[in-house]
Amino acid sequence: MKKQVKDKKAALLKAALKLFTENGFHGTSTAQISKEAGVATGTLFNYFPTKEDLINALYFDVKGELSRSMGKDVQTESTLHDKFKKIWYNLIEWGLNNREDFHFVNQFCSSPYISDYTREVVMDEYVFYHDLVKEGIASSELGDYPDGMIASMFYQSSRTIVDFILYSESQDKSKAIEDGFEIMWRGLTKK
């Protein structure tokens, strides 16, 4: 007898995350997702009319979780440096503790299957981060670079450190995180 799935939508999103990360968008069929989720094939379409709707919902959920993780306890810090450092540590810990989600974001951040609308709505989750970048530029603590570039360089640098920790032979995770922050921070601050 087949086990009853209580939260079918959550099961479908979890299955899609696993399969999209392993096989890519085109390499994953809706039938595979339904099977992995333990639901009937037609059930997927009750929640997500198309595979594109599913990947957009998944992207929104994962990026929302990432945003909430990034912003955790940032307001307890008093200086701009310490706020960025808190975001840095939060970002890296999220990547290390949520590897599938981390790989999904990396894989699909530039995907043509993520709609412009989804990207715009997701960016609303990151207002605190972009406001902090603008504050750093306005106070001259950060270099006079475009704010989008600073935000992107910071985020991409954190991804590099997660990959370094996951795939290198370095055993000192704390040192890698700290060194990565110092390299990134020196690059973004005014000389």
Side-chain angles (χ1 to χ4, degrees), residues 74-149:
V74 169
Q75 294 311 322
T76 63
E77 303 298 334
S78 57
T79 67
L80 185 77
H81 173 272
D82 291 345
K83 287 177 183 181
F84 271 98
K85 193 169 191 175
K86 178 60 117 175
I87 291 171
W88 179 263
Y89 274 83
N90 290 345
L91 247 168
I92 292 171
E93 286 301 323
W94 180 86
L96 294 173
N97 294 328
N98 300 280
R99 290 181 186 185
E100 213 166 46
D101 301 57
F102 172 76
H103 291 301
F104 174 80
V105 169
N106 292 346
Q107 230 175 319
F108 290 98
C109 66
S110 299
S111 171
Y113 299 106
I114 307 302
S115 72
D116 290 341
Y117 175 77
T118 298
R119 289 180 200 286
E120 288 174 26
V121 173
V122 162
M123 288 315 293
D124 290 344
E125 297 269 336
Y126 292 83
V127 168
F128 76 94
Y129 174 55
H130 291 279
D131 286 350
L132 194 60
V133 170
K134 289 175 184 171
E135 176 188 327
I137 294 168
S139 69
S140 297
E141 288 181 72
L142 296 178
D144 188 20
Y145 309 116
D147 57 334
M149 180 188 289

Side-chain angles (χ1 to χ4, degrees), residues 25 34 41 70 72 82 105 136 160 163 169 178 184-185:
F25 183 77
S34 297
T41 302
M70 282 174 62
K72 187 174 185 225
D82 291 345
V105 169
T160 299
D163 282 339
E169 295 184 20
E178 185 65 29
M184 182 279 313
W185 188 250

Side-chain angles (χ1 to χ4, degrees), residues 136-187:
I137 294 168
S139 69
S140 297
E141 288 181 72
L142 296 178
D144 188 20
Y145 309 116
D147 57 334
M149 180 188 289
I150 290 174
S152 184
M153 293 293 289
F154 183 90
Y155 177 71
Q156 297 302 332
S157 296
S158 72
R159 284 176 50 183
T160 299
I161 297 303
V162 171
D163 282 339
F164 178 77
I165 292 168
L166 290 176
Y167 304 114
S168 78
E169 295 184 20
S170 173
Q171 298 301 311
D172 194 344
K173 175 181 115 174
S174 296
K175 182 168 176 27
I177 295 170
E178 185 65 29
D179 288 350
F181 180 78
E182 289 307 316
I183 291 167
M184 182 279 313
W185 188 250
R186 280 193 305 262

